[in-house]
Amino acid sequence: MNANGGRPAAPGGPARAGTEPGDGSPARLARLRSALGARWAAGPPRGPSRPEFWRSPLRGPWLTAVFGIVLLFGITIVFVTGLVSYAAYEPDLAAVNDQTPGKGWLGFYLFSWPTSPYWLYRVTQGVHVTLGVVLVPVLLAKLWSVIPKLFAWPPVSSGAQVLERLSLLLLVGGAGFEFATGILNTQLHYIFPGSFYTLHFYGAWVFIGAFAVHVVFRLGRAVRALRAGPRQPAPDSEEAAGLVSPRPAAPTISRRGALGMVGLGSLALLVVTAGQSVGGWFRRTALLAPHGQDPGSGPNGFQINKTAASVGIRSSDTGPAWRLTVRGGRRQIDLTYAQLLGLPQHEALLPIACVEGWSTADQHWSGVRLTDLAALVGLGTHAPQLLVQSVQRGGSFSSVVLSADQVRDARSLLAVRVNGAVLSADHGYPARVIVPGAPGVHNTKWVTRLTFGEPS
């Protein structure tokens, strides 16, 4: 008998519910389901999940739709020009050209990058970088306008909502990642792990996939909101889409005023960014351009990314002992600097344009045509693709493969002079490649070896 006069529980007999660890009895599961159901029925918890938490009188379907439509067109252009930029690197030619291995079917659109018009990469990459920076205020405003949706209650109510919220998570995360890495790249500030090219490439595809799903779900609603105009619908109406506050604070600016403020922010970024692509006098306004605004004076006074010192170029590498090795098939010759100068010299007016968005005005280059160098090893005017190798010891793109079309263009030179002067050390002395329409990193500096017909 126990103290209450009852019989003691038999050894191993049932204990009171919930007293044993890991109790998974049907009764306990039922109580848990009941508690969760009650919590669900009680409505959203205190905080951002409650509509009244968000008090801005500006949020609404019209303002969100305006930002969304601007981003729809802007991001589409940025994405397409980004794909074009990747194609310009000729990733199918060789592994040294491609910093995004394993692309598989994501490279379905790749094509042979043309040499005409010679300013093509300068324009497409300038648009890509400049428009990306200009869209930052619009992106931030759009995220601000829809932030209540990130905390919507209940979190999940249907399969379609699961897909939409997953796409929203990837959309917001992907947008932040792509814009952040892109802006850091324009400043040559690589604080992220791994290759920028790989991260930005795959991040772009994740982002654009989520973006496409979001457009499918929201485009119709955005168009209806634009047609309805800036009037605010009732907070609990379907057209409010959970964006209108049921308890708005007093306004301090109109919705059109907010649009104007965002537009001025984008205009300011355009002014301090576009000059690095336009060049000339406008470069003075490019406050966001890397390396400041003054690349020096004289014939070699135009923008560079890599200095000779930064990639380990020593005076012995480019001094009297320097030789240019030209190889094609089984034939090979070695040229001294004087012998290179003794070959027929040709001229070309071409800019340098880099992935960071900056570009130079047309520079007056002179040197030996790549086809003439191919002829020295018996290849004539039908030169194949070309492996270009530099003496640089650090940094990326010390080697590059140029396509046959690039090699055969009469403006493609192994340049030894620019604007009437010998190349400076930082511009690639004693010789550098210059190819019309190619990304800046493919205009290899400090060239020491040219191998025609190098296999991919």
Side-chain angles (χ1 to χ4, degrees), residues 16-43:
R16 286 176 296 176
T19 60
E20 292 187 5
D23 180 14
S25 65
R28 181 170 184 176
L29 293 177
R31 287 195 298 272
L32 181 60
R33 285 194 295 268
S34 177
L36 290 174
R39 173 66 269 180
W40 196 278

Side-chain angles (χ1 to χ4, degrees), residues 233-245:
D236 56 351
S237 65
E238 181 179 352
E239 60 181 321
L243 300 174
V244 180
S245 174

Side-chain angles (χ1 to χ4, degrees), residues 258-276:
L259 284 177
M261 184 173 64
V262 173
L264 284 175
S266 290
L267 179 61
L269 288 176
L270 175 65
V271 169
V272 298
T273 302
Q276 69 171 350

